[in-house]
Amino acid sequence: MHYESLKDFLTAPPSALRKGPVAMIFVEDDVEVATTLRHHDQMGFTTVIALMPAAFDLPGDLQETVHRIDYDATAERAVEHAVNSIGAAAPGAWMYYCFNAEYLFFPFCETRTVGEMLAFHTEERRDAMLTYVVDLYSDDLAEHPDAVSLDRAHLDRSGYYALARKDVAKNYHPKERQLDFFGGLRWRFEEHVPYTRRKIDRIALFRAKPGLELREDHTFSDEEYNTYACPWHHNITAAVCSFRTAKALKSNPGSTYDIHTFKWHNSAPFEWHSRQLLDLGLMEPGQWF
């Protein structure tokens, strides 16, 4: 299932696309591509789409299960264009997007599928889910210069905070049920991160509908999609555990020589289990038990 362009894919989209949930994986480099795709396939996504450079290879087993689209995910606004185009082709379907070396975790994901979680979320009349991008990094940059190691992955167990999201159109009054979240490597090394890219919140799970558009700051044109909960109680949130920021800080010439380790006194080994993320408050089950 190989498509030479996004246009070719949208001309004859697979029937499973409309059923959902659909995972869109944007491949920016060749780091942990296969593990990212396998992880999300195991989470229970009906359709897994890899948008990746034509020069990259895929293992044989993934060629049979993944819908591959030749695509340059690093081009300007390429991610927004693809998410909006694929979403428009499957109105009503639940969608998810992330990048390579990023891994979705949600409450009880070891025993429940993403489809089961989204079915419950739909019953609560929610069409989007807030996810926190939790930075992962190797504890030994001498051994892993790109900061990526699944076996030695660490995360920050504290240092996360939220600020009110201001509405420019309403004299900077706080938006209802919307917050900007910060923490992780983007907070600790903020001098190397542009101000507009320091947030760690992302509406990574959403229900497609006509006219809906993803914006450059990982929010949507429908403001209700950007809320962290409904008005009457807390909802489920999830986490995207990501090596992306660590990779960028170590590959960027402006920061790599200033960073000798990501480890600090609040680092903890990542256990690759939803219980750890729940205990740290990096996601919550809401009313789903």
Side-chain angles (χ1 to χ4, degrees), residues 227-249:
T227 57
Y228 54 80
C230 60
W232 47 90
H233 62 62
H234 288 178
N235 294 113
I236 304 171
T237 59
V240 178
C241 297
S242 170
F243 287 101
R244 191 171 179 239
T245 298
K247 283 192 304 172
L249 288 170

Side-chain angles (χ1 to χ4, degrees), residues 136-150 152-154 243 246 261-263:
L136 299 180
Y137 48 88
S138 169
D139 64 337
D140 188 345
L141 296 183
E143 185 176 351
H144 309 109
D146 63 354
V148 179
S149 171
L150 302 187
R152 300 288 296 272
H154 282 61
F243 287 101
T261 182
F262 288 122
K263 194 174 181 181

Side-chain angles (χ1 to χ4, degrees), residues 53-111:
F56 288 5
D57 292 326
L58 271 184
D61 62 313
L62 291 174
Q63 294 178 19
E64 299 298 322
T65 59
V66 171
H67 297 269
R68 173 179 179 162
I69 302 174
D70 293 343
Y71 196 72
D72 181 7
T74 63
E76 185 175 2
R77 299 193 65 80
V79 173
E80 294 87 350
H81 173 68
V83 170
N84 294 334
S85 298
I86 295 173
W94 277 96
M95 301 271 175
Y96 163 81
Y97 77 97
C98 73
F99 301 86
N100 61 297
E102 292 191 332
Y103 306 88
L104 174 68
F105 283 83
F106 54 86
F108 323 119
C109 61
E110 291 76 21
T111 57

Side-chain angles (χ1 to χ4, degrees), residues 20 25 34 48 54 79 103 111 133-134 141 147-148 167 170 183 208-211 223 234 245 262 266 268 282 287:
I25 314 298
V48 177
V79 173
Y103 306 88
T111 57
V133 180
V134 179
L141 296 183
V148 179
D167 191 340
K170 295 183 179 179
K209 69 176 183 178
E223 291 294 343
H234 288 178
T245 298
F262 288 122
N266 279 322
L282 295 173
Q287 311 300 309

Side-chain angles (χ1 to χ4, degrees), residues 166-213:
K166 304 299 181 62
D167 191 340
V168 178
K170 295 183 179 179
N171 295 321
Y172 294 92
H173 190 274
K175 292 186 176 182
E176 181 185 359
R177 290 175 290 116
Q178 292 192 43
L179 296 170
D180 290 328
F181 295 87
F182 302 90
L185 299 182
R186 298 177 188 228
W187 169 61
R188 289 201 279 129
F189 298 93
E190 64 178 10
E191 66 272 20
H192 298 295
V193 181
Y195 176 77
T196 55
R197 299 196 175 189
R198 292 178 187 170
K199 296 195 306 109
I200 63 168
D201 51 275
R202 182 191 300 174
I203 307 300
L205 286 153
F206 65 97
R207 198 173 187 182
K209 69 176 183 178
L212 182 67
E213 290 190 2

